[in-house]
Amino acid sequence: MPLAIRQQSCSAKPARFTDASAITSCRRHQLATELAGKHVVLGMTGGIACYKIAELTRLLTKAGATVQVAMTDAATQFITPVTMQALSGRPVYTSQWDARIPNNMPHIDLSREADAIVIAPASTDFLAKLANGLCDDLLSTLCIARDCPLLVVPAMNRQMWMNPATQRNVAQLRADGIELLGPDSGAQACGEVGDGRMLEPEAVYEAIASFFSPKTLTGRRVLLTAGPTFEPIDPVRGITNRSSGKMGFALARAAQQAGADVHLVAGPVGLETPWGVYRENVQTAQQMHDAVMRAVPDCDIFIGVAAVADWRVDHVADHKIKKTADRAIPSFSFVENPDILASVAKLPHPPFCVGFAAESGDLDVHGEEKRKRKNVPLLIGNLGPQTFGLDDNEVVLFEATGITRLPRADKQTLARALIAEIAKRLPDANVIA
Ligand code: C5P
């Protein structure tokens, strides 16, 4: 791609693992229908983290899920059923004797409707009850009566979490096939610091969304590049491009949700790391190349989404290039950057390689030409001006057998569709959905 259409500066963020604590409102906006048709019974037990469940309920309903809240008596001490009813848009159940259920069996009826039961926050006492099959209130009874998956989100003081009895119960819950989300570590409401803090609502949301996704890439290791690169010309300036990283990050999230182990090599973008994804930050094309070549022996699929700069200046000035008295215009000579995708594709045992092409026109011609030149089985083409920085995109898949067009959709939806398409094309594909 020409450098001229890729001018934009971005701020880099430090590398980190699995930080879903600050998913942007922009990203939430994109999740509009991700959980459409899913019915979640959200069980709340007593703990100060109950206030976080108001936000979790909003995230779930915004994503299209229906949420049926059930609360223990202790939970109602922390947040009212009125609040939870208003946020979920459904009456809240707190008692197994609730006469609103015609057959007076709320423990059966509520759990039969559910695609999953999520207990958040899950108190020490509730973990103990679940581990031992006790059922003396509506929530514990509907859990034991369930015929759907159960996910629990512990929230408690660090000493309560570390107590051997709690750890025994947690081990038992895992052995019983119950999914534990968290806990997190950090400052606690009691003033202490340690393990036991409830995951932030955004992280719980991400884990639930991941849980519901078809596992088309279980056991696969996916390496991706995303975003622009930044090629310095002096200590304060450089050449970059208009790639936002949104498509690559959406693909990393979709691959993680499909069950893959995901390693994301990101150029300088200000996007949050998708839940469960390992992120490595780089600046230059050479650094991106080196990071990819280090990681590629461990991967099954390589997806080069990054808009990598084709050239860098051959000498980076040690100090800021200043205007001179005679106002001489500086000149630069360039050297070519390594082609990361082509380097991976020509390895003796390459992973399944997927390239991207951002063109400004004649996509059908350039896409197939680029696929052949890069020697990759699949190349995904899009038109640069119609994708850079936007939340939606439309793409064309180029492969030896022909082309497939995917219609315009938000990048999260498109990413899920692309991951499903990639999963189908793996040499030893064993596609579930
Ligand atoms: O040649 P062009 O930049 O259009 O090719 C696009 C594809 O090649 C993308 O998948 C991109 O990530 C990859 N690429 C690369 N290294 C480069 C240039 C492009 O991996 N130096």
Side-chain angles (χ1 to χ4, degrees), residues 1 6 225 285 302 304-310 337-342 354-359 370 373-374 379:
M1 276 182 290
R6 300 198 261 161
T225 61
F302 174 66
V305 196
V308 185
D310 295 320
N337 276 324
D339 189 313
I340 304 167
L341 180 61
V354 182
F356 266 74
E359 300 295 337
K370 189 162 287 183
R373 182 160 45 82
K374 303 254 176 184
L379 187 121

Side-chain angles (χ1 to χ4, degrees), residues 66-88:
T66 49
V67 177
Q68 176 59 61
V69 176
M71 301 170 80
T72 63
D73 279 344
T76 66
Q77 299 291 317
F78 291 90
I79 189 168
T80 68
V82 174
T83 303
M84 298 313 300
Q85 176 171 352
L87 293 172
S88 64

Side-chain angles (χ1 to χ4, degrees), residues 84-142:
M84 298 313 300
Q85 176 171 352
L87 293 172
S88 64
R90 290 176 153 244
V92 170
Y93 290 89
T94 56
S95 162
Q96 72 256 51
W97 315 121
D98 196 315
R100 285 174 297 179
I101 302 274
N103 63 6
N104 217 309
M105 292 188 214
H107 62 296
I108 304 292
D109 283 23
L110 295 182
S111 74
R112 290 300 171 272
E113 289 171 357
D115 293 300
I117 300 173
V118 179
I119 306 296
S123 65
T124 317
D125 175 62
F126 203 77
L127 296 186
K129 275 173 142 175
L130 281 179
N132 290 284
L134 300 180
C135 43
D136 60 355
D137 62 5
L138 173 62
L139 192 55
S140 52
T141 311
L142 78 82

Side-chain angles (χ1 to χ4, degrees), residues 132-208:
N132 290 284
L134 300 180
C135 43
D136 60 355
D137 62 5
L138 173 62
L139 192 55
S140 52
T141 311
L142 78 82
C143 283
I144 208 158
R146 77 185 182 281
D147 62 354
C148 65
L150 176 59
L151 291 77
V152 297
V153 192
M156 64 199 69
N157 166 270
R158 66 189 174 94
Q159 295 290 9
M160 295 168 84
W161 173 253
M162 290 315 297
N163 188 292
T166 305
Q167 290 303 309
R168 270 200 309 278
N169 291 332
V170 165
Q172 185 60 56
L173 294 178
R174 290 204 172 103
D176 290 347
I178 293 170
E179 183 119 353
L180 269 96
L181 309 179
D184 210 345
S185 193
Q188 306 199 315
C190 53
E192 297 179 6
V193 177
D195 292 345
R197 202 185 134 84
M198 199 186 92
L199 292 178
E200 293 303 320
E202 290 83 356
V204 178
Y205 174 83
E206 287 295 307
I208 294 170

